[in-house]
Amino acid sequence: MLDARGAVVPAVIHWGADLGALTDAQLETLADSRVRVVGPSAADTPMRLGLVPLLSDGWTGLPGLEGATLSLSAVEPVETGILVTLTGDGLSLVVELLLDAHGVLHARNRLTNTGAQPYALASLPTVLPLPPVAQERLDFTGVWAGEREPQRSGIQHGTWLRESRHGRNGHDDSYVTVAGTPGFGFRHGEVWALHLGWSGDKRTWIDRSAVGLTTIAAGELLTPGEIRLAQGDEYVSPWAYAAWSDAGLDGLSSRFHGMFRALPAHPSSSRPLTLNTWEAVYFEQDLTRLGALADLAAGVGVERFVLDDGWMTGRIDDRRALGDWTVDPARWPEGLGPLIDRVRGAGMQFGLWVEPEMVSLDSTLALEHPEWVRGGTRSWRHQFVLDLSNDAAREHVRDALLALLDAYPIDYLKWDMNRDQLGGSVHAQVSATYRLMDELRAAHPGLEIESCSSGGGRIDAGVLARTQRVWPSDTNDAHDRQSIMRWTSLLVPLEYFGAHVGSAPAHTTGRSQSLSFRLATALFGHAGIEWDLAAATPAELQSLGIWAQRYRELRGLLHSGDLVRSDDLGDPTVTGVVAADRSEAVFAIACLQSPRESVRLTRRLPGLDPALEYRVSVVDLGAAPLTHAGIPPAWVADGITLTGAVLGAVGLEPPLLMPDEAIVVKLVAVERS
Ligand code: DGJ
């Protein structure tokens, strides 16, 4: 709700709970009641925290636009929201505020220089007020193979500022900034959240001022001089996405997931079980080995075979050949045709790894176009950034990729990006990358793209407007994946994120987990396998086959239902997906720690219809979880029928699972006779 009376910058007077239908008189009274009182040692007129907070309006916290004085020119209703036009100091700023059907506010700023002088833009974030009850903050950090680690604290006077200067989101991406009532959890608490749909440098903050107001903000981070607007030029900010819930983080996820599921680019087909070749063979590619891997993959029920890094001319390691998007005649003397024929002949789709934004110095491209090589002076994974903001460079790589897509039936590109940019205009580079993805998808409308960036270094609503899968992390260690999955899914629904069964020990940690745990963990996503199946035992292959069948049976539910996570403290954790009509559900009860009690604690299964009775049964994933000696609960063998109210308020007693083990249960509402 905006107070857009008068000629001043409108103020957000409420975003949160639906206040019901209010009469004009009630709206006036509400707006009047939100005008600030004048405190001691303050300006003589009420300070205003506008939609674009300005120093000239008395706001001394972090501003929405530096150095400008703006006033309201127009408020224009559009189908799902309003456009607010502010003008002043030779600038025209249109703030777009659109509320989608899922309750997510889409906000962005369009700034035009209407004056004769050039204008250098410093920053133009989306800024929203937080109410005083929001006393606690949550956002994310992380490292390679350990992305989206949550971090929380109270909100104090001052600024909690997170910046990405990676030229990409980075492994320590703040991801979603959340503020809420103290102790908010997955199922309880009132929470306000902001996410920026941008894959480049950005700033997000929570700023609590001693004047008694708090803001939450997110916007692109610009370097000095990066955006200079001549007369008539426009800067369009990335979209920021704001959501509120009085049902904790699950309530936020429900809104964000609804938003992603409504995207035109949202994957419309069943998510094919995928095999990715990276950890199976790394750079050791040839038809004999990969043809055999494809046969084994088809045998266990894989539906998409993705040839990862190592297929390009001279790409025998990670030191060379990026930029030369031709098939290596040494390792693939007959091209990729024979492998693709084998893959497709076995009924699988074919996917190919690419890294279009990059160039190795040891490449034909760098020799021919040294002027396109940039990314600072430091090589990173022995590679540099290809200057896609140069149209000739973008067209060159686009045409090379189109030639591949024309030459071969490629259903899917795994689009990697393995370094920070460290210099140059990130704004121009990210915009050009988006354009390149759009150009490829326009030319090949059925083409799917996965967003990967050394694992989960690029996951946001900007890239997801044009991609159908994300790679949340390079780690296939199922223990670490449990946490990465739990928090990545705060924003992104399960059908987007790649979840692979790896071999044991895990390549990234050297830690071994049971096949049962690896299967259960990879089920909750867009499932796949990343394992040299030639080294798997016949029993393991059989297990994979059973698991693949279960995935096919459950993916309709997993990829459309509501994600629920229990707030029960300690171990085990509970993650479930409940069908929209609550007629069925699937839950994983996962133990990540050694038990602190002699039995595993009773766990509640949230989100069910309290009035319905559910038949609960264990899902056979092809490998039984490891348990301690003792007597397991009878329901594990026999199943059990309980109401949603009982399951939600009392819960189930888990079997005596060992650490790093999980049990998956299916719940089906029982028909009443
Ligand atoms: C990093 C990715 O995250 C991996 O999955 C793999 O594709 C390698 N790059 C290949 O170089």
Side-chain angles (χ1 to χ4, degrees):
M1 301 184 74
L2 276 184
D3 177 0
R5 300 175 299 178
V8 286
V9 176
V12 176
I13 54 176
H14 174 72
W15 66 291
D18 186 348
L19 303 181
L22 299 178
T23 64
D24 285 355
Q26 287 170 324
L27 284 169
E28 285 277 349
T29 314
L30 169 60
D32 287 344
S33 74
R34 302 302 301 139
V35 174
R36 281 180 62 82
V37 295
V38 174
S41 187
D44 297 326
T45 50
M47 193 271 284
R48 193 170 172 85
L49 176 65
L51 183 58
V52 179
L54 299 173
L55 192 65
S56 54
D57 285 336
W59 173 245
T60 51
L62 286 183
L65 185 64
E66 267 177 71
T69 302
L70 300 173
S71 55
L72 179 62
S73 285
V75 177
E76 184 193 334
V78 289
E79 203 183 329
T80 57
I82 51 168
L83 309 184
V84 177
T85 304
L86 309 168
T87 52
D89 291 343
L91 299 171
S92 171
L93 172 58
V94 178
V95 181
E96 299 182 51
L97 297 170
L98 310 176
L99 190 61
D100 73 20
H102 312 281
V104 178
L105 180 72
H106 303 211
R108 73 173 177 183
N109 300 312
R110 290 194 278 122
L111 182 73
T112 306
N113 182 4
T114 53
Q117 300 300 320
Y119 179 78
L121 178 64
S123 150
L124 189 52
T126 291
V127 187
L128 290 166
L130 285 173
V133 293
Q135 291 285 348
E136 194 167 314
R137 168 199 66 77
L138 162 73
D139 66 10
F140 297 89
T141 182
V143 292
W144 174 80
E147 295 88 339
R148 279 161 297 288
E149 185 186 329
Q151 49 178 11
R152 293 174 80 129
S153 75
I155 299 173
Q156 314 281 348
H157 284 185
T159 307
W160 176 261
L161 173 68
R162 300 292 311 283
E163 293 188 337
S164 164
R165 295 173 184 269
H166 300 290
R168 56 174 169 169
N169 314 47
H171 298 107
D172 60 349
D173 186 17
S174 55
Y175 196 49
V176 183
T177 305
V178 184
T181 47
F184 64 81
F186 285 112
R187 309 289 303 171
H188 70 277
E190 193 174 3
V191 279
W192 290 258
L194 196 57
H195 165 77
L196 191 72
W198 183 243
S199 310
D201 291 353
K202 59 185 174 175
R203 310 173 79 201
T204 175
W205 70 72
I206 292 176
D207 187 23
R208 174 154 291 180
S209 161
V211 302
L213 291 170
T214 307
T215 59
I216 184 170
E220 186 178 5
L221 189 156
L222 300 168
T223 51
E226 189 172 7
I227 302 289
R228 281 185 190 281
L229 302 177
Q231 187 169 25
D233 285 354
E234 186 186 47
Y235 165 80
V236 183
S237 79
W239 286 102
Y241 301 91
W244 163 89
S245 161
D246 60 357
L249 299 170
D250 278 357
L252 292 178
S253 295
S254 166
R255 294 193 191 280
F256 285 132
H257 293 184
M259 175 182 91
F260 283 113
R261 286 175 172 165
L263 284 177
H266 179 263
S268 50
S269 60
S270 293
R271 300 295 71 213
L273 184 70
T274 296
L275 181 130
N276 181 289
T277 63
W278 180 240
E279 288 194 351
V281 302
Y282 293 103
F283 293 102
E284 309 280 307
Q285 295 193 359
D286 63 53
L287 181 58
T288 308
R289 190 154 177 207
L290 287 161
L293 185 58
D295 294 346
L296 286 163
V300 299
V302 165
E303 298 161 307
R304 175 182 283 166
F305 183 92
V306 179
L307 185 65
D308 210 282
D309 193 359
W311 57 269
M312 307 94 71
T313 306
R315 182 76 171 166
I316 51 166
D317 58 22
D318 61 7
R319 291 174 171 252
R320 63 205 86 234
L322 291 179
D324 297 343
W325 301 108
T326 54
V327 181
D328 188 9
R331 282 169 299 167
W332 297 101
E334 294 171 71
L336 295 178
L339 177 67
I340 296 179
D341 287 348
R342 196 135 148 201
V343 165
R344 292 177 73 90
M348 295 183 286
Q349 297 179 10
F350 181 76
L352 192 64
W353 177 94
V354 290
E355 195 175 1
E357 299 146 81
M358 295 292 150
V359 55
S360 312
L361 289 188
D362 185 357
S363 67
T364 310
L365 184 65
L367 275 179
E368 288 178 355
H369 290 285
E371 75 282 11
W372 292 350
V373 178
R374 69 173 207 192
T377 52
R378 289 163 177 264
S379 71
W380 178 309
R381 206 191 188 209
H382 316 285
Q383 64 196 55
F384 284 85
V385 175
L386 183 67
D387 181 6
L388 293 182
S389 68
N390 179 323
D391 283 342
R394 194 196 77 258
E395 285 162 11
H396 173 91
V397 70
R398 179 195 66 198
D399 292 347
L401 295 174
L402 284 176
L404 277 168
L405 293 171
D406 290 340
Y408 297 114
I410 296 170
D411 302 283
Y412 176 81
L413 292 178
K414 176 179 172 183
W415 187 301
D416 210 342
M417 197 275 198
N418 282 305
R419 65 159 288 165
D420 284 5
Q421 186 165 321
L422 306 179
S425 170
V426 172
H427 177 85
Q429 182 74 7
V430 173
S431 304
T433 302
Y434 286 170
R435 182 172 172 189
L436 179 58
M437 289 179 174
D438 293 344
E439 287 173 335
L440 295 180
R441 296 221 330 128
H444 289 265
L447 179 72
E448 291 196 1
I449 299 178
E450 171 175 7
S451 173
C452 170
S453 186
S454 338
R458 180 156 67 186
I459 302 178
D460 63 82
V463 80
L464 277 169
R466 41 196 49 91
T467 51
Q468 288 67 42
R469 196 187 207 232
V470 295
W471 184 230
S473 180
D474 267 353
T475 188
N476 291 314
D477 178 304
H479 177 93
D480 290 344
R481 272 287 179 144
Q482 284 281 336
S483 167
I484 293 168
M485 179 278 246
R486 196 169 185 74
W487 292 108
T488 303
S489 61
L490 175 63
L491 180 73
V492 178
L494 297 191
E495 62 270 25
Y496 277 104
F497 61 90
H500 294 174
V501 181
S503 54
H507 292 206
T508 46
T509 60
R511 207 162 40 189
S512 287
Q513 290 119 3
S514 71
L515 182 56
S516 143
F517 185 56
R518 281 141 57 211
L519 295 172
T521 303
L523 185 73
F524 283 73
H526 174 180
I529 299 169
E530 195 166 336
W531 179 356
D532 183 4
L533 296 181
T537 65
E540 287 171 331
L541 292 175
Q542 194 185 6
S543 297
L544 283 170
I546 295 169
W547 168 79
Q549 177 60 28
R550 290 296 101 79
Y551 170 68
R552 280 192 292 277
E553 290 161 8
L554 290 169
R555 66 184 160 190
L557 170 60
L558 287 165
H559 298 168
S560 68
D562 295 329
L563 185 69
V564 296
R565 289 154 291 198
S566 156
D567 277 326
D568 288 351
L569 291 176
D571 216 41
T573 62
V574 173
T575 308
V577 177
V578 181
D581 66 2
R582 296 197 275 183
S583 62
E584 55 177 352
V586 57
F587 279 86
I589 303 174
C591 290
L592 304 179
Q593 314 290 340
S594 298
R596 297 187 62 235
E597 289 79 19
S598 53
V599 296
R600 291 296 187 176
L601 297 178
T602 304
R603 296 285 96 169
R604 298 183 294 182
L605 308 190
L608 300 166
D609 184 336
L612 287 179
E613 268 194 326
Y614 292 90
R615 182 74 191 155
V616 183
S617 50
V618 174
V619 178
D620 172 15
L621 294 181
L626 303 173
T627 54
H628 292 284
I631 301 177
W635 67 263
V636 170
D638 306 337
I640 194 167
T641 302
L642 294 167
T643 66
V646 170
L647 288 161
V650 181
L652 275 181
E653 183 146 357
L656 303 166
L657 294 168
M658 289 195 173
D660 282 344
E661 267 305 352
I663 189 163
V664 175
V665 292
K666 175 93 195 277
L667 282 72
V668 180
V670 180
E671 294 285 332
R672 290 206 186 86
S673 52

